[in-house]
PDB file of all heavy atoms in Angstrom:
ATOM      1  N   LEU A  97     -68.939  55.392  -2.149  1.00  0.00           N
ATOM      2  CA  LEU A  97     -70.356  55.414  -2.056  1.00  0.00           C
ATOM      3  C   LEU A  97     -70.933  54.935  -3.347  1.00  0.00           C
ATOM      4  O   LEU A  97     -70.261  55.138  -4.447  1.00  0.00           O
ATOM      5  CB  LEU A  97     -70.758  56.943  -2.017  1.00  0.00           C
ATOM      6  CG  LEU A  97     -70.511  57.721  -0.615  1.00  0.00           C
ATOM      7  CD1 LEU A  97     -69.041  57.956  -0.364  1.00  0.00           C
ATOM      8  CD2 LEU A  97     -71.328  58.952  -0.610  1.00  0.00           C
ATOM      9  N   GLU A  98     -72.208  54.396  -3.253  1.00  0.00           N
ATOM     10  CA  GLU A  98     -72.924  54.033  -4.464  1.00  0.00           C
ATOM     11  C   GLU A  98     -74.343  54.476  -4.222  1.00  0.00           C
ATOM     12  O   GLU A  98     -74.856  54.607  -3.214  1.00  0.00           O
ATOM     13  CB  GLU A  98     -72.821  52.497  -4.630  1.00  0.00           C
ATOM     14  CG  GLU A  98     -71.467  51.973  -4.909  1.00  0.00           C
ATOM     15  CD  GLU A  98     -71.494  50.421  -5.174  1.00  0.00           C
ATOM     16  OE1 GLU A  98     -72.617  49.864  -5.295  1.00  0.00           O
ATOM     17  OE2 GLU A  98     -70.363  49.902  -5.126  1.00  0.00           O
ATOM     18  N   GLY A  99     -74.921  54.770  -5.403  1.00  0.00           N
ATOM     19  CA  GLY A  99     -76.361  55.231  -5.386  1.00  0.00           C
ATOM     20  C   GLY A  99     -76.566  56.448  -6.395  1.00  0.00           C
ATOM     21  O   GLY A  99     -75.660  56.829  -7.039  1.00  0.00           O
ATOM     22  N   GLU A 100     -77.751  56.891  -6.278  1.00  0.00           N
ATOM     23  CA  GLU A 100     -78.182  58.069  -6.978  1.00  0.00           C
ATOM     24  C   GLU A 100     -77.783  59.329  -6.249  1.00  0.00           C
ATOM     25  O   GLU A 100     -78.589  59.877  -5.449  1.00  0.00           O
ATOM     26  CB  GLU A 100     -79.738  58.081  -7.293  1.00  0.00           C
ATOM     27  CG  GLU A 100     -80.283  56.925  -8.066  1.00  0.00           C
ATOM     28  CD  GLU A 100     -79.844  57.096  -9.577  1.00  0.00           C
ATOM     29  OE1 GLU A 100     -79.821  58.115 -10.021  1.00  0.00           O
ATOM     30  OE2 GLU A 100     -79.613  55.997 -10.131  1.00  0.00           O
ATOM     31  N   ILE A 101     -76.431  59.695  -6.367  1.00  0.00           N
ATOM     32  CA  ILE A 101     -75.908  60.810  -5.621  1.00  0.00           C
ATOM     33  C   ILE A 101     -75.218  61.750  -6.600  1.00  0.00           C
ATOM     34  O   ILE A 101     -74.482  61.304  -7.418  1.00  0.00           O
ATOM     35  CB  ILE A 101     -74.869  60.245  -4.642  1.00  0.00           C
ATOM     36  CG1 ILE A 101     -75.531  59.197  -3.713  1.00  0.00           C
ATOM     37  CG2 ILE A 101     -74.273  61.362  -3.790  1.00  0.00           C
ATOM     38  CD1 ILE A 101     -74.458  58.376  -2.979  1.00  0.00           C
ATOM     39  N   ILE A 102     -75.554  63.038  -6.446  1.00  0.00           N
ATOM     40  CA  ILE A 102     -74.944  64.065  -7.303  1.00  0.00           C
ATOM     41  C   ILE A 102     -73.454  64.164  -6.784  1.00  0.00           C
ATOM     42  O   ILE A 102     -73.194  64.349  -5.631  1.00  0.00           O
ATOM     43  CB  ILE A 102     -75.635  65.335  -7.173  1.00  0.00           C
ATOM     44  CG1 ILE A 102     -77.042  65.232  -7.702  1.00  0.00           C
ATOM     45  CG2 ILE A 102     -74.913  66.472  -7.866  1.00  0.00           C
ATOM     46  CD1 ILE A 102     -77.969  66.388  -7.410  1.00  0.00           C
ATOM     47  N   PRO A 103     -72.490  64.065  -7.662  1.00  0.00           N
ATOM     48  CA  PRO A 103     -71.021  63.996  -7.289  1.00  0.00           C
ATOM     49  C   PRO A 103     -70.625  65.201  -6.443  1.00  0.00           C
ATOM     50  O   PRO A 103     -69.938  65.067  -5.426  1.00  0.00           O
ATOM     51  CB  PRO A 103     -70.306  63.953  -8.576  1.00  0.00           C
ATOM     52  CG  PRO A 103     -71.258  63.323  -9.566  1.00  0.00           C
ATOM     53  CD  PRO A 103     -72.646  63.842  -9.135  1.00  0.00           C
ATOM     54  N   GLU A 104     -71.078  66.407  -6.822  1.00  0.00           N
ATOM     55  CA  GLU A 104     -70.746  67.657  -5.988  1.00  0.00           C
ATOM     56  C   GLU A 104     -71.222  67.489  -4.619  1.00  0.00           C
ATOM     57  O   GLU A 104     -70.561  68.000  -3.673  1.00  0.00           O
ATOM     58  CB  GLU A 104     -71.223  68.849  -6.719  1.00  0.00           C
ATOM     59  CG  GLU A 104     -70.635  69.177  -8.098  1.00  0.00           C
ATOM     60  CD  GLU A 104     -71.230  68.325  -9.172  1.00  0.00           C
ATOM     61  OE1 GLU A 104     -72.122  67.700  -9.034  1.00  0.00           O
ATOM     62  OE2 GLU A 104     -70.403  68.289 -10.254  1.00  0.00           O
ATOM     63  N   LYS A 105     -72.432  66.927  -4.371  1.00  0.00           N
ATOM     64  CA  LYS A 105     -72.959  66.789  -3.161  1.00  0.00           C
ATOM     65  C   LYS A 105     -72.187  65.819  -2.261  1.00  0.00           C
ATOM     66  O   LYS A 105     -71.981  66.025  -1.115  1.00  0.00           O
ATOM     67  CB  LYS A 105     -74.494  66.347  -3.107  1.00  0.00           C
ATOM     68  CG  LYS A 105     -75.353  67.495  -3.677  1.00  0.00           C
ATOM     69  CD  LYS A 105     -76.850  67.143  -3.658  1.00  0.00           C
ATOM     70  CE  LYS A 105     -77.605  68.263  -4.324  1.00  0.00           C
ATOM     71  NZ  LYS A 105     -78.325  69.097  -3.431  1.00  0.00           N
ATOM     72  N   ALA A 106     -71.711  64.726  -2.840  1.00  0.00           N
ATOM     73  CA  ALA A 106     -70.905  63.745  -2.075  1.00  0.00           C
ATOM     74  C   ALA A 106     -69.591  64.407  -1.668  1.00  0.00           C
ATOM     75  O   ALA A 106     -69.135  64.230  -0.532  1.00  0.00           O
ATOM     76  CB  ALA A 106     -70.678  62.477  -2.936  1.00  0.00           C
ATOM     77  N   ALA A 107     -68.906  65.134  -2.577  1.00  0.00           N
ATOM     78  CA  ALA A 107     -67.659  65.784  -2.285  1.00  0.00           C
ATOM     79  C   ALA A 107     -67.943  66.820  -1.110  1.00  0.00           C
ATOM     80  O   ALA A 107     -67.018  66.953  -0.186  1.00  0.00           O
ATOM     81  CB  ALA A 107     -67.054  66.417  -3.536  1.00  0.00           C
ATOM     82  N   ARG A 108     -68.962  67.541  -1.242  1.00  0.00           N
ATOM     83  CA  ARG A 108     -69.239  68.613  -0.279  1.00  0.00           C
ATOM     84  C   ARG A 108     -69.617  68.040   1.091  1.00  0.00           C
ATOM     85  O   ARG A 108     -69.112  68.621   2.066  1.00  0.00           O
ATOM     86  CB  ARG A 108     -70.443  69.506  -0.741  1.00  0.00           C
ATOM     87  CG  ARG A 108     -70.727  70.600   0.184  1.00  0.00           C
ATOM     88  CD  ARG A 108     -69.735  71.738   0.154  1.00  0.00           C
ATOM     89  NE  ARG A 108     -70.216  72.840   1.035  1.00  0.00           N
ATOM     90  CZ  ARG A 108     -69.488  73.591   1.902  1.00  0.00           C
ATOM     91  NH1 ARG A 108     -68.199  73.341   1.898  1.00  0.00           N
ATOM     92  NH2 ARG A 108     -69.960  74.494   2.540  1.00  0.00           N
ATOM     93  N   ALA A 109     -70.220  66.935   1.096  1.00  0.00           N
ATOM     94  CA  ALA A 109     -70.543  66.269   2.382  1.00  0.00           C
ATOM     95  C   ALA A 109     -69.307  65.842   3.094  1.00  0.00           C
ATOM     96  O   ALA A 109     -69.091  66.027   4.321  1.00  0.00           O
ATOM     97  CB  ALA A 109     -71.443  65.068   2.150  1.00  0.00           C
ATOM     98  N   ALA A 110     -68.299  65.312   2.338  1.00  0.00           N
ATOM     99  CA  ALA A 110     -67.030  64.919   2.962  1.00  0.00           C
ATOM    100  C   ALA A 110     -66.234  66.168   3.432  1.00  0.00           C
ATOM    101  O   ALA A 110     -65.713  66.179   4.587  1.00  0.00           O
ATOM    102  CB  ALA A 110     -66.120  64.153   2.005  1.00  0.00           C
ATOM    103  N   GLN A 111     -66.299  67.175   2.700  1.00  0.00           N
ATOM    104  CA  GLN A 111     -65.600  68.465   3.064  1.00  0.00           C
ATOM    105  C   GLN A 111     -66.224  68.996   4.323  1.00  0.00           C
ATOM    106  O   GLN A 111     -65.498  69.344   5.303  1.00  0.00           O
ATOM    107  CB  GLN A 111     -65.686  69.456   1.822  1.00  0.00           C
ATOM    108  CG  GLN A 111     -65.091  70.746   2.226  1.00  0.00           C
ATOM    109  CD  GLN A 111     -65.193  71.815   1.116  1.00  0.00           C
ATOM    110  OE1 GLN A 111     -66.159  71.707   0.250  1.00  0.00           O
ATOM    111  NE2 GLN A 111     -64.375  72.873   1.182  1.00  0.00           N
ATOM    112  N   LEU A 112     -67.611  69.058   4.314  1.00  0.00           N
ATOM    113  CA  LEU A 112     -68.192  69.620   5.530  1.00  0.00           C
ATOM    114  C   LEU A 112     -67.909  68.738   6.793  1.00  0.00           C
ATOM    115  O   LEU A 112     -67.625  69.259   7.947  1.00  0.00           O
ATOM    116  CB  LEU A 112     -69.723  69.721   5.339  1.00  0.00           C
ATOM    117  CG  LEU A 112     -70.248  70.813   4.466  1.00  0.00           C
ATOM    118  CD1 LEU A 112     -71.687  70.637   4.161  1.00  0.00           C
ATOM    119  CD2 LEU A 112     -69.966  72.169   5.120  1.00  0.00           C
TER     120      LEU A 112
END
Side-chain angles (χ1 to χ4, degrees):
L97 288 75
E98 292 183 14
E100 296 287 326
I101 304 167
I102 296 169
E104 293 79 13
K105 291 186 185 256
R108 180 72 173 141
Q111 180 185 19
L112 284 170

